[in-house]
Amino acid sequence: MAILKNPKSKQQKRRSVLVIAVAAVAIGLVWVLLSSSISLSRFSFHLANLGENEESSELERKYLYWGNRVDCPGKHCDSCEGLGHQESSLRCALEEALYLKRVFVMPSRMCINPIHNKKGILHHLTKASSQERWAASSCAMDSLYDLELISKTIPVILDNSKMWYRILSTSMKLGKRGVVHVEGASRADIYYKSLYSNILLINRTASPLSWFMECKDRTNHSSVMLPYSLLPMNAAPKLRAAAEKIKGLLGDYDAIHVRRGDKIKTRKDRFGVVRSLHPHLDRDTRPQFIQHRIAKWISPGRTLFIASNERAPDFFSPLSVRYKLAYSSNYSSILDPMIENNYQLFMVERLILAGARIFVKTFKEYEDDLSLTDDPKKNTKNWQIPIYSLEEEGR
């Protein structure tokens, strides 16, 4: 017997297939949305990390981006300043992130000025690409700093991380709520204006100023949210480990930091008279004057660790009559295998200086500081005739 086929059965099958397909798509969309919500939930962080009440509700993570190079834009894009100057700029950006309760997108590399570095510089290869030159004249940010430690105060991510690319992708999907380019607005403007409150990513690269300029007015101490010690004390783990080993070998010690080099440079005025921005510094950082200055603070026979940018060999050897001198070069077996550039060396030296019983700086930065000279550290742009002896003081 022939079986008659119902023409409606084909339509029912097609409808069934269509329903199944639609259901599958719907399930897929739900899964995508669920995955997205899970991803976005990872952007949450507890306000207690920023020092607020632990009972505060979780806030959707938002981000602050200042660019992929410290101090750029600005006049330092083609070159770069020393570590201390770049740290001032980096601290400025971190302060804004802390103020805005945003995650800071930190450059993955820091520029190294060739003047401040002996290692890792590309040997003047004229055919080298700009990327090769940049890689050779910079170092990984996490080779200098412990980002996990810093994140306990201000959450940070690197601009070469997968998270950063996810944020960029998300910001493009969010349209107007994704990203806003900010120029000329203060951190207070950004904080209080509703225009910025729900934006996922605030981009500061629109500003023509270098980072440091945004925080140049440091006279308003209420605006200074982070201590100078934040970045030096949060050095990368291997740098902290090296410093601890050296401090252990030094035992009970005192220390001085002697800034010479670039700070004692002179120039002639239009009358041919030699002048300096720090008229007493060259004199005050010579061994006989150092010995006279620190005698009231550091007793004879003490171990004295010296960190300096003075290049002349044995420049400080006259101090050995009174003290047991020590330098980072005495610990090359510890430092040479892991130090890649002078920035890392300086960071280790800073940790050693901070661990001294008595530490004498070159310049007085705070009221309680001990210093080798009374000349101000800040550039006054007042070029004066240098003083090289006590007799010249009253001339």
Side-chain angles (χ1 to χ4, degrees):
M1 179 184 287
I3 300 176
L4 297 174
K5 294 182 180 179
N6 187 352
K8 292 184 178 179
S9 63
K10 289 185 179 180
Q11 293 179 355
Q12 289 174 345
K13 285 183 181 179
R14 287 182 187 137
R15 286 175 185 171
S16 299
V17 171
L18 183 60
V19 168
I20 293 172
V22 170
V25 171
I27 292 171
L29 287 172
V30 169
W31 175 250
V32 169
L33 291 172
L34 181 60
S35 299
S36 298
S37 66
I38 292 172
S39 298
L40 287 173
S41 70
R42 291 175 184 169
F43 293 167
S44 301
F45 68 98
H46 210 276
L47 290 179
N49 290 336
L50 299 176
E52 296 194 6
N53 195 317
E54 289 187 357
E55 296 180 359
S56 298
S57 61
E58 286 195 346
L59 183 70
E60 180 186 7
R61 272 197 168 191
K62 299 181 178 68
Y63 297 83
L64 177 67
Y65 181 61
W66 276 48
N68 65 351
R69 288 185 61 174
V70 179
D71 266 348
C72 183
K75 64 181 180 180
H76 302 299
C77 287
D78 295 330
S79 61
C80 60
E81 291 292 293
L83 177 65
H85 185 110
Q86 290 192 75
E87 281 189 338
S88 294
S89 290
L90 193 55
R91 196 166 63 250
C92 174
L94 288 167
E95 280 187 356
E96 181 166 292
L98 179 61
Y99 184 85
L100 299 176
K101 298 180 178 64
R102 286 178 172 266
V103 180
F104 179 63
V105 183
M106 185 178 286
S108 58
R109 301 189 71 81
M110 178 179 278
C111 175
I112 303 178
N113 190 315
I115 297 174
H116 300 287
N117 191 35
K118 295 177 182 177
K119 296 183 178 182
I121 298 298
L122 203 63
H123 297 292
H124 306 292
L125 295 179
T126 54
K127 294 183 180 180
S129 68
S130 60
Q131 287 185 340
E132 288 174 326
R133 287 194 297 271
W134 165 241
S137 61
S138 65
C139 64
M141 194 68 77
D142 56 8
S143 73
L144 297 175
Y145 304 107
D146 189 328
L147 301 184
E148 288 187 12
L149 277 181
I150 293 174
S151 291
K152 291 181 178 180
T153 304
I154 311 99
V156 298
I157 63 170
L158 291 176
D159 69 357
N160 65 348
S161 63
K162 290 181 179 179
M163 177 66 78
W164 173 232
Y165 295 118
R166 287 169 58 190
I167 294 160
L168 289 176
S169 176
T170 303
S171 69
M172 289 187 286
K173 296 174 183 176
L174 291 175
K176 292 181 179 180
R177 292 192 301 111
V179 59
V180 63
H181 306 281
V182 176
E183 180 179 1
S186 69
R187 63 180 61 165
D189 290 336
I190 299 172
Y191 184 82
Y192 289 109
K193 288 184 178 178
S194 58
L195 169 67
Y196 306 108
S197 58
N198 293 319
I199 301 297
L200 175 66
L201 174 63
I202 289 177
N203 178 19
R204 271 290 204 176
T205 61
S207 173
L209 298 176
S210 61
W211 298 15
F212 180 77
M213 293 297 293
E214 299 287 352
C215 295
K216 193 171 182 180
D217 181 16
R218 312 296 288 188
T219 56
N220 181 10
H221 293 290
S222 63
S223 69
V224 180
M225 304 176 68
L226 298 173
Y228 166 82
S229 60
L230 174 76
L231 292 171
M233 293 302 104
N234 286 337
K238 69 174 185 177
L239 303 182
R240 298 202 309 272
E244 287 302 315
K245 285 182 182 179
I246 294 173
K247 288 194 289 184
L249 294 171
L250 284 168
D252 183 23
Y253 66 98
D254 301 312
I256 58 174
H257 177 228
V258 189
R259 182 81 178 270
R260 286 178 58 82
D262 57 320
K263 290 293 183 181
I264 62 173
K265 67 180 180 181
T266 61
R267 73 178 187 187
K268 292 182 179 180
D269 63 18
R270 60 195 180 96
F271 302 107
V273 178
V274 174
R275 293 182 178 273
S276 171
L277 287 171
H278 306 281
H280 304 89
L281 184 62
D282 192 1
R283 180 199 69 183
D284 292 345
T285 54
R286 291 180 180 274
Q288 60 270 34
F289 288 93
I290 291 175
Q291 182 171 311
H292 176 74
R293 180 86 167 191
I294 69 176
K296 54 189 173 184
W297 304 315
I298 303 176
S299 305
R302 294 278 299 169
T303 297
L304 182 65
F305 180 82
I306 301 175
S308 178
N309 61 347
E310 172 57 51
R311 295 179 180 274
D314 301 323
F315 180 82
F316 298 105
S317 57
L319 290 170
S320 63
V321 175
R322 190 176 178 88
Y323 304 106
K324 300 172 185 175
L325 303 185
Y327 310 90
S328 57
S329 58
N330 298 139
Y331 305 96
S332 56
S333 60
I334 297 173
L335 297 173
D336 283 355
M338 47 82 65
I339 292 294
E340 300 170 358
N341 53 65
N342 280 4
Y343 283 10
Q344 290 180 330
L345 176 60
F346 182 42
M347 293 187 74
V348 171
E349 288 183 330
R350 285 194 306 198
L351 293 170
I352 297 170
L353 294 172
R357 183 176 66 87
I358 293 177
F359 170 37
V360 184
K361 300 180 179 180
T362 305
F363 301 97
K364 183 186 287 289
E365 298 176 74
Y366 300 100
E367 189 62 33
D368 296 333
D369 285 348
L370 304 178
S371 65
L372 297 176
T373 185
D374 293 322
D375 283 353
K377 181 180 181 180
K378 186 178 179 181
N379 186 352
T380 60
K381 297 184 179 179
N382 182 18
W383 290 84
Q384 304 174 55
I385 298 174
I387 306 296
Y388 293 104
S389 67
L390 294 175
E391 290 75 19
E392 292 178 284
E393 197 73 57
R395 69 181 180 185

